[in-house]
């Protein structure tokens, strides 16, 4: 499926429940660098959007400073799945409701030519397209990638996550 000529772009957003300097956000904020550093060590990681702070939490999308963007490029689905579901990231993902308001969809993926670095405008356009038109080759989610088996397993394991 992967011929080396394309990579997988992944963009997700999260609307924070509290200001980043609020003590209730401390565990999340204190681990951003650690989780980002872990992503960069995963075989198959290509690139992530960041500013001089080393992350993208200071960047604004949708003219809303409470929405945090995350944009990364991966060599393939397997690499992204390994990072999301088989590292420390999974623990933080499982606790996302503590720090973020539920908004849907929060994630979009699309194939890009190897070497391309999408910007926030491109990423937002892809997410907006997914919201307006549903999944397609232009913009899709985990459920539209047949090879994404770790996502399916993790989703089943977290099926009671909202029951509290």
């Amino acid at each position: 499926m992967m011929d080396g000529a394309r990579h997988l772009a992944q963009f997700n957003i999260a609307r924070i429940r509290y200001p980043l300097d609020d003590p209730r956000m401390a565990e999340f904020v204190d681990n951003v660098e650690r989780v980002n550093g872990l992503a960069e060590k995963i075989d198959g990681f290509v690139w992530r959007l960041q500013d001089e702070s080393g992350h993208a939490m200071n960047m604004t999308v949708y003219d809303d400073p409470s929405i945090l963007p995350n944009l990364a490029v991966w060599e393939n689905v397997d690499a992204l799945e390994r990072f999301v579901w088989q590292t420390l990231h999974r623990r933080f993902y499982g606790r996302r409701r503590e720090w973020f308001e539920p908004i849907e969809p929060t994630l979009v993926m699309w194939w890009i030519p190897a070497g391309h670095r999408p910007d926030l405008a491109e990423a937002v356009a892809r997410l907006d397209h997914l919201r307006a038109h549903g999944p397609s080759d232009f913009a899709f989610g985990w459920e539209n990638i047949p090879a994404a088996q770790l996502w399916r397993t993790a989703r089943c394991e977290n099926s009671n996550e909202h029951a509290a």
Side-chain angles (χ1 to χ4, degrees), residues 29-137:
V29 171
D30 291 349
N31 282 283
V32 167
E33 185 176 320
R34 180 177 174 201
V35 173
N36 285 341
L38 183 62
E40 293 173 353
K41 292 177 183 149
I42 295 286
D43 185 38
F45 171 84
V46 175
W47 170 86
R48 68 180 172 84
L49 181 69
Q50 59 184 303
D51 62 15
E52 59 281 349
S53 67
H55 54 71
M57 293 192 305
N58 301 319
M59 299 179 185
T60 302
V61 291
Y62 296 106
D63 294 322
D64 185 344
S66 71
I67 297 179
L68 304 182
N70 179 39
L71 175 58
V73 175
W74 298 83
E75 288 181 2
N76 52 50
V77 173
D78 292 341
L80 176 57
E81 274 203 300
R82 275 194 312 276
F83 168 66
V84 172
W85 306 115
Q86 294 183 324
T87 69
L88 176 66
H89 176 276
R90 181 178 177 165
R91 185 173 65 114
F92 286 97
Y93 179 82
R95 295 179 58 199
R96 67 193 178 281
R97 298 288 184 233
E98 294 177 36
W99 303 303
F100 305 107
E101 297 287 340
I103 50 176
E104 296 294 334
T106 59
L107 169 78
V108 66
M109 292 182 273
W110 68 100
W111 296 107
I112 60 172
H116 176 64
R117 301 294 177 259
D119 60 18
L120 279 177
E122 178 181 345
V124 167
R126 297 285 180 150
L127 184 58
D128 289 348
H129 188 275
L130 179 62
R131 287 176 168 167
H133 304 288
S136 66
D137 289 343

Side-chain angles (χ1 to χ4, degrees), residues 117-162:
R117 301 294 177 259
D119 60 18
L120 279 177
E122 178 181 345
V124 167
R126 297 285 180 150
L127 184 58
D128 289 348
H129 188 275
L130 179 62
R131 287 176 168 167
H133 304 288
S136 66
D137 289 343
F138 187 78
F140 51 87
W142 286 116
E143 64 276 9
N144 307 107
I145 304 174
Q149 295 305 310
L150 294 175
W151 168 82
R152 295 177 202 296
T153 303
R155 185 173 181 222
C156 291
E157 291 173 4
N158 290 332
S159 61
N160 293 325
E161 133 181 64
H162 303 291

